[in-house]
Amino acid sequence: MSASVSRRAVLGAGLAAVPVLSSGLPRPVKQAAYISFSPTTGAFPLVGAPVVVDPDDHPGVVRVAEDLRSDIERVTGVRPSTAPARLTVLVGTIGRSALIDDLVAAGKLDVSGIRGRWETSLQTVVERPLPGVDRAFVVAGSDPRGTIFGAYDVSYGIGVSPWHWWDDVPPTHRDQVWVRPGRYSQGTPAVRYRGFFINDENPALGTWAPAYFGPGKAPGHPGGFTADFYGRVFEVLLRLKGNYLWPAVWGRAFAEDDPENHRRAAEYGVVMGTSHEAPMMRGIEEWNRHAVAAVRDSSGAIVTPGHDPYGGTGEWSYRLNSQAVRAYWRAGVRRMVDQGFEGVVTLGMRGNGDTSLPDGDGIELMREIIAAQRQIIEEETGRPAAETPQVWTLYKEVQRYWDRGLRAPDDVTVVLTDDNWGNIRKHPDPAEDYRAGGYGLYYHFDYVGAGRNYKWVDTANLRNVWEQLHTAHAYGNHGLWVANVGDLKGNELPTEFFLDYAWNPADWDLARLGDWERRYAHQNFGAGPAQEVAAILAEYGRLQARRKPELLNRRITLTDGQVVYDDRQTPFAFGHRELERVTEEWRELGRRAERIERRLPSGAGVRDAWFELVGYEVLATANLYELRSAEFTNLLYAAQGRAATNSLADAAETALARDFALAERFNSAVAGGKWAGFQTQPHIDYGDVDRYGPNAGWQQPERDNVALPDVLFPAVRRIEVGEGAELGVAVDGSESAWPGGTGAGPAVLPPFSPYQTRPQQFVEVFNRGRTAFDYRIEASVPWLTVDRPRGRVGRQVRVEVRVDWAKAPVGRAEGVLTVTGAGTSVTVDCVAEKPPARGLRGFVEAGGYVAIDAEHYDRTVGGWRRLDGIGRTGAGMTPWPVTLPRQTPGGPGSPRLEYEVSLLAAGEVTVWAHLSPRNPALPTGGLRYGVSLDDGPIETVDINVGADDGLLNAVWARNTSDNVNATATKHSVTKAGVHRLRFWMVDPTVVLQRLVIDTGGLPALYLGPLESRRM
């Protein structure tokens, strides 16, 4: 569809409805809504009209007609009948519905604009279509799924959320619903196969689903998911205009857990697939349940026999057990043929348990495996292999085969992947020969593995998702897209956006993401709060993108060039009040969410839907930040001997109790207890090796594959303080305390500058005992002031320190604060740096650094696009379009961003570039940028040196965990004054978030310092 299409982002607009010209293709228009809640000239009244379908149409179409009846009843309270009347709704598929075909043959319905297209529908009002019918609202599809999508589009337009069952969303009641006259279509999807992967489903979905729908039907496997469960999955998939599913795999086997599962998929019209580790239409658990692998010695001889149902050794090895493995694969394809369900066959082979192939990664072996699989497909289907849809997914180590030159047959869709953290690893190479099978994408909103699991709440930033999906589509990837959505419930927003974008990328430009969020909020909560809810959703995504909540107790540092993890530290600094500031941002978001909830109607289930879709994830994450802030401040205070230590332990334990209470509300109070057992995902105790073993650094808290309830980790500390008063002093920017004990050298405040933007420097006067005492603070110079020079300390007092710049001398000046209390004194050194006021321009150095947000450039050369909200602190800048070729920096027209800065001294500086942690996804190799200062040399950097997105090594894990790739260049400053910093494009797809110039005083902060003052 043309990029000029505008879709009304309001309830009733349907999903990209556009009038259809009788001569063929849909014509883009600005106002595409065909549903109205007030009568218009020639409109068709939907309430009271029967919904009629040919019983011989595809079962999925017959079924969706019943859903449409139920949806109309949900909205209006009036259930449509099934027998034709004067005003009738007709639902049917071209070539499968006699009702539709008779209208076409009689010349009453023109389907030339959709006939023969993939999954395309037409909505139109037809006059006198049948004897006894005066008017009909016709929903016709080019194929069964086209009809299904067309019917569900009507449901969406009248106000039924795709998540009505999964999140208990009640529609707004309407007494009347009208269909505007005209001919409408949602167009043809841009991506042919669009779907999701239910994965990592223990404990949440794995606990809830068997309890709600009943146990699995395979003997000995009660945790399996049944056809009734999958029916609900198929329904929401189709309502979202998806067509493709990878079923759950954690100890589950789709075909065995309920013999009805494949039949139910066929009945709904859903295309089945299997994940990257499960070839030939068989889940890997189908092998694991029935095979026991032989044990071999170092020479390869079997010392303990194994077995499998195919007469083999039980080993998942093509080299050692190929005859049995081929028989296993053959049974999977034969089952697809015999049961008649639609499938996309996964090719290739990986190791058992989402690992690399134990047989090695030789190209000839993989070529032999794929050839054998395609021979089986031909033999079992009786057709050329090219007539059966197939995929080869280049996940993790499998991409190496492609990089070394192995190519799947031309008709196979090659599915490229992200790195499990939302950064695509490879885009199609425009220089490659055309592939009939095209390319696909496997993307993650949930992950278990290196770095750390993230599977508790939605952590997707839609701006980041948009940028990656846009780039994939721009490079020609539109064959098959599938997203790992974990439990599905909890990832509703990114799942819906992923499928919306796959349907029509042109309709959702970056500038319209706010419209999309408002539409999502409107559909689920009504018009009133939609604007506020959308703003909360956007802010939630931005804040979550800083760091996954599971990683809030891991600090990652570089020591002697090695990545070091500390799972007993906050990643955020105490300096610059960073931990306080990020906690307050979450606290305020939680307050906003609570205010909205209080204004929602108390009846009709709206608050249940709110809590499921927005409230829980916002409030629980905000509470987790409160917990971590209290926990790590407690540990700091304990080390400093503060009397306030134990109150912070109490606060952390209160936050843990609230975490449990929020989960209990979800499990017990919401929707009358419908979701009992669902909110059981641990997210706090990661890293607790002593409690649950050596995998604790990345794996969820569990023992014997059963999740453990969370405990505080690291544990809080409680201390005993003396009865008397005892002075303690701490200063901003240091974790030490004075006098004695933890003091390392003199107490020194960070330098002061009239141009600083950092939070105001402070001194904390605290008690190490239980008796209150009086304190006073005296300054050695008249320009140094404090806001509370005298007072009384019960537990602690924070005193802000300022400089009176009218009294401070130009240049560097020193002063001392003397803090006295409880018979003791501590001195605190202070430095004021006051540069000459004349001649300063641009971003001004203060405190030994200059911090610049990328979007605040002075000049651009070449094409660049601002990506609002993509960065950890703001927007990002990226070369545009994303398909630009690699550039050689340095020419007058070379693409670049320019920033004016004022530096206070000559010498060497370090420029840090903070970029989104993208991978070298282009065939040119590497991902590079350049930086220069004034007319100095351009220093070029490949940001992925040392990182391996296939092996998922520690450097890669650091970048993805921190959600930033920070690299540095060195530059010479010849004199103080105004300088020009240039960021040069070398490769496209680089996303610059920040530039930070370290002139010698850059503090160690997770997000970096606040942006410098701009003159």
Side-chain angles (χ1 to χ4, degrees):
M1 189 177 292
S2 166
S4 64
V5 173
S6 176
R7 160 185 319 184
R8 180 179 294 180
V10 295
L11 195 65
L15 297 179
V18 296
V20 178
L21 297 179
S22 60
S23 59
L25 297 179
R27 175 171 57 88
V29 295
K30 288 185 178 181
Q31 294 184 344
Y34 59 86
I35 297 294
S36 173
F37 301 121
S38 58
T40 58
T41 302
F44 178 93
L46 196 59
V47 180
V51 175
V52 178
V53 64
D54 184 339
D56 293 327
D57 207 326
H58 186 280
V61 173
V62 176
R63 192 201 59 78
V64 83
E66 181 64 15
D67 273 1
L68 182 56
R69 295 183 194 107
S70 297
D71 289 344
I72 292 171
E73 182 181 17
R74 285 188 183 97
V75 173
T76 69
V78 178
R79 186 170 186 82
S81 69
T82 61
R86 288 180 54 251
L87 300 174
T88 296
V89 178
L90 299 177
V91 178
T93 308
I94 300 167
R96 299 194 63 148
S97 168
L99 292 170
I100 300 299
D101 290 347
D102 287 350
L103 291 178
V104 174
K108 295 183 178 182
L109 180 64
D110 181 359
V111 296
S112 59
I114 68 167
R115 188 194 296 273
R117 292 181 172 271
W118 178 261
E119 298 181 346
T120 308
S121 65
L122 166 69
Q123 288 95 353
T124 188
V125 176
V126 176
E127 304 294 332
R128 296 177 295 281
L130 301 169
V133 178
D134 294 338
R135 303 180 78 203
F137 172 45
V138 177
V139 180
S142 62
D143 54 27
R145 276 193 299 274
T147 310
I148 292 167
F149 295 146
Y152 276 142
D153 192 74
V154 178
S155 295
Y156 188 99
I158 67 176
V160 176
S161 169
W163 305 101
H164 77 95
W165 188 88
W166 281 94
D167 293 283
D168 308 293
V169 181
T172 299
H173 177 80
R174 304 288 183 178
D175 291 326
Q176 295 294 328
V177 181
W178 303 81
V179 178
R180 293 188 173 98
R183 296 164 49 78
Y184 301 88
S185 175
Q186 290 72 58
T188 301
V191 177
R192 187 173 182 86
Y193 294 104
R194 310 162 308 283
F196 51 74
F197 179 19
I198 294 177
N199 192 28
D200 309 331
E201 64 272 13
N202 292 342
L205 198 66
T207 300
W208 169 80
Y212 189 88
F213 291 101
K217 298 180 180 180
H221 298 282
F225 293 164
T226 65
D228 288 342
F229 164 80
Y230 277 111
R232 290 297 184 181
V233 173
F234 297 150
E235 179 194 332
V236 72
L237 174 66
L238 293 167
R239 284 182 182 271
L240 296 170
K241 295 201 299 186
N243 60 9
Y244 178 65
L245 181 73
W246 288 358
V249 297
W250 272 31
R252 295 177 175 87
F254 183 78
E256 295 184 358
D257 289 336
D258 189 337
E260 287 292 302
N261 277 341
H262 275 122
R263 187 194 65 79
R264 191 70 59 91
E267 174 188 319
Y268 275 71
V270 168
V271 184
M272 292 305 301
T274 51
S275 77
H276 47 82
E277 67 166 348
M280 300 294 278
M281 295 308 299
R282 303 210 70 171
I284 194 64
E285 192 64 14
E286 292 186 68
W287 180 270
N288 293 339
R289 288 180 180 180
H290 307 291
V292 175
V295 178
R296 298 176 183 264
D297 62 19
S298 58
S299 70
I302 293 177
V303 294
T304 303
H307 60 84
D308 56 57
Y310 308 97
T313 64
E315 295 164 285
W316 183 249
S317 166
Y318 196 77
R319 287 194 191 278
L320 302 176
N321 197 23
S322 62
Q323 185 173 346
V325 168
R326 286 197 303 269
Y328 171 77
W329 290 341
R330 184 177 296 277
V333 177
R334 183 181 302 131
R335 180 173 61 202
M336 179 179 70
V337 174
D338 290 346
Q339 296 186 9
F341 62 85
E342 190 175 356
V344 175
V345 179
T346 294
L347 300 181
M349 188 176 185
R350 298 187 66 224
N352 198 328
D354 196 7
T355 61
S356 59
L357 198 61
D359 300 322
D361 59 357
I363 283 181
E364 289 308 315
L365 175 63
M366 187 56 64
R367 183 177 285 118
E368 180 184 349
I369 288 170
I370 292 175
Q373 290 169 335
R374 284 170 63 83
Q375 181 180 350
I376 290 170
I377 291 170
E378 290 190 342
E379 292 171 354
E380 292 299 321
T381 64
R383 302 191 306 269
E387 295 183 17
T388 298
Q390 301 150 68
V391 295
W392 184 35
T393 303
L394 307 187
Y395 182 63
K396 287 186 178 177
E397 80 290 340
V398 181
Q399 185 175 300
R400 293 200 298 265
Y401 295 106
W402 183 273
D403 292 339
R404 294 172 184 173
L406 180 60
R407 295 295 181 265
D410 180 68
D411 58 277
V412 175
T413 300
V414 175
V415 177
L416 309 174
T417 74
D418 72 350
D419 60 1
N420 304 293
W421 287 69
N423 305 288
I424 294 174
R425 298 180 61 207
K426 184 175 287 294
H427 295 300
D429 182 356
E432 289 261 352
D433 291 340
Y434 168 79
R435 292 188 58 79
Y439 295 89
L441 174 65
Y442 174 39
Y443 199 77
H444 284 74
F445 299 127
D446 166 283
Y447 176 59
V448 167
R452 182 163 284 175
N453 299 0
Y454 63 92
K455 46 185 300 203
W456 173 44
V457 291
D458 164 29
T459 56
N461 179 343
L462 281 195
R463 280 73 188 160
N464 187 79
V465 175
W466 178 90
E467 188 271 338
Q468 287 292 275
L469 298 186
H470 168 82
T471 304
H473 189 260
Y475 276 91
N477 187 328
H478 42 68
L480 180 151
W481 287 10
V482 60
N484 186 327
V485 299
D487 300 307
L488 178 61
K489 187 173 177 65
N491 276 316
E492 294 92 341
L493 183 143
T495 300
E496 184 168 341
F497 179 77
F498 181 86
L499 294 172
D500 274 354
Y501 195 86
W503 184 275
N504 186 5
D507 205 42
W508 295 113
D509 183 71
L510 178 65
R512 295 204 62 229
L513 290 191
D515 291 342
W516 188 93
E517 288 159 334
R518 285 185 288 275
R519 191 189 76 162
Y520 177 87
H522 192 170
Q523 188 72 16
N524 291 300
F525 310 113
Q531 183 76 28
E532 289 180 277
V533 173
I536 283 178
L537 292 170
E539 180 70 354
Y540 173 85
R542 184 183 75 84
L543 294 180
Q544 285 287 32
R546 288 174 171 172
R547 194 170 189 83
K548 305 294 186 188
E550 290 87 347
L551 280 161
L552 291 180
N553 66 331
R554 169 172 284 181
R555 180 176 293 177
I556 307 177
T557 55
L558 280 177
T559 303
D560 298 327
Q562 299 297 310
V563 175
V564 177
Y565 295 153
D566 187 340
D567 288 337
R568 297 173 180 266
Q569 292 286 343
T570 169
F572 300 103
F574 290 101
H576 282 231
R577 309 190 199 185
E578 185 177 49
L579 179 59
E580 295 178 31
R581 288 187 289 111
V582 296
T583 301
E584 178 56 32
E585 286 181 278
W586 275 105
R587 187 181 293 124
E588 174 57 24
L589 189 65
R591 288 192 289 257
R592 289 167 59 189
E594 288 176 327
R595 287 195 294 269
I596 290 177
E597 181 178 10
R598 286 194 294 269
R599 296 200 301 268
L600 292 174
S602 57
V606 176
R607 291 190 179 183
D608 286 345
W610 162 260
F611 193 69
E612 294 174 63
L613 285 168
V614 181
Y616 174 79
E617 65 183 12
V618 172
L619 297 177
T621 307
N623 181 70
L624 180 60
Y625 271 78
E626 295 270 18
L627 182 154
R628 291 303 192 193
S629 179
E631 174 188 37
F632 287 113
T633 306
N634 160 265
L635 296 177
L636 173 66
Y637 283 9
Q640 295 174 342
R642 298 198 193 199
T645 296
N646 295 351
S647 65
L648 271 295
D650 293 341
E653 290 170 350
T654 298
L656 180 64
R658 185 166 192 242
D659 181 271
F660 294 157
L662 288 166
E664 181 61 21
R665 176 183 170 187
F666 199 115
N667 291 333
S668 300
V670 165
K674 175 180 174 180
W675 301 102
F678 184 86
Q679 205 55 254
T680 49
Q681 175 62 54
H683 46 276
I684 297 172
D685 191 32
Y686 280 90
D688 194 348
V689 173
D690 292 340
R691 185 181 183 214
Y692 67 101
N695 289 337
W698 63 270
Q699 180 61 283
Q700 67 183 9
E702 64 177 26
R703 189 176 295 120
D704 298 327
N705 296 317
V706 176
L708 297 171
D710 274 315
V711 298
L712 287 176
F713 181 79
V716 293
R717 291 180 58 191
R718 295 182 182 273
I719 63 173
E720 291 292 331
V721 296
E723 181 64 34
E726 182 181 348
L727 171 71
V729 174
V731 299
D732 183 14
S734 174
E735 296 182 20
S736 297
W738 293 264
T742 61
V748 181
L749 279 171
F752 295 81
S753 167
Y755 302 103
Q756 72 180 38
T757 55
R758 54 148 296 148
Q760 195 62 46
Q761 291 90 331
F762 65 83
V763 170
E764 284 185 335
V765 185
F766 63 85
N767 200 343
R768 286 172 167 154
R770 293 198 292 271
T771 302
F773 64 87
D774 294 328
Y775 77 90
R776 71 178 185 275
I777 302 178
E778 298 172 314
S780 66
V781 290
W783 48 263
L784 197 57
T785 67
V786 295
D787 65 344
R788 289 189 278 183
R790 295 176 182 273
R792 188 164 179 81
V793 178
R795 287 184 175 174
Q796 59 191 45
V797 175
R798 177 174 287 184
V799 179
E800 290 194 344
V801 184
R802 288 179 168 80
V803 170
D804 183 342
W805 293 106
K807 297 179 180 178
V810 174
R812 177 185 170 91
E814 297 180 355
V816 176
L817 295 175
T818 300
V819 184
T820 302
T824 306
S825 294
V826 172
T827 59
V828 180
D829 295 339
C830 305
V831 174
E833 298 172 342
K834 182 179 178 181
R838 297 178 59 186
L840 298 178
R841 294 198 311 274
F843 293 95
V844 180
E845 176 187 348
Y849 63 86
V850 180
I852 305 168
D853 291 336
E855 67 270 26
H856 296 147
Y857 51 81
D858 289 292
R859 179 175 180 244
T860 64
V861 177
W864 294 84
R865 179 145 193 195
R866 173 173 168 157
L867 308 176
D868 282 321
I870 200 171
R872 300 192 306 172
T873 58
M877 296 295 297
T878 192
W880 203 260
V882 294
T883 52
L884 285 171
R886 172 174 281 179
Q887 305 287 308
T888 300
S894 297
R896 61 189 180 273
L897 302 167
E898 298 187 359
Y899 304 86
E900 200 169 52
V901 298
S902 288
L903 303 178
L904 304 183
E908 186 179 73
V909 299
T910 301
V911 177
W912 288 93
H914 293 194
L915 293 95
S916 296
R918 300 294 186 248
N919 299 304
L922 302 176
T924 48
L927 192 59
R928 298 175 174 83
Y929 70 88
V931 171
S932 64
L933 190 63
D934 298 326
D935 295 324
I938 298 172
E939 302 294 336
T940 302
V941 177
D942 184 344
I943 71 171
N944 291 115
V945 171
D948 191 317
D949 55 65
L951 295 176
L952 312 183
N953 67 353
V955 176
W956 165 88
R958 180 197 185 204
N959 295 340
T960 51
S961 296
D962 290 350
N963 202 21
V964 75
N965 186 321
T967 48
T969 53
K970 301 285 188 180
H971 305 269
S972 295
V973 178
T974 57
K975 62 180 181 179
V978 178
H979 300 269
R980 186 156 290 264
L981 179 67
R982 295 179 175 89
F983 181 88
W984 299 84
M985 174 198 169
V986 178
D987 287 318
T989 75
V990 163
V991 179
L992 175 66
Q993 297 185 17
R994 309 194 81 199
L995 291 167
V996 181
I997 305 173
D998 182 4
T999 62
L1002 181 65
L1005 303 172
Y1006 178 69
L1007 297 174
L1010 296 173
E1011 188 175 35
S1012 297
R1013 184 174 174 184
R1014 193 177 191 183
M1015 302 289 288

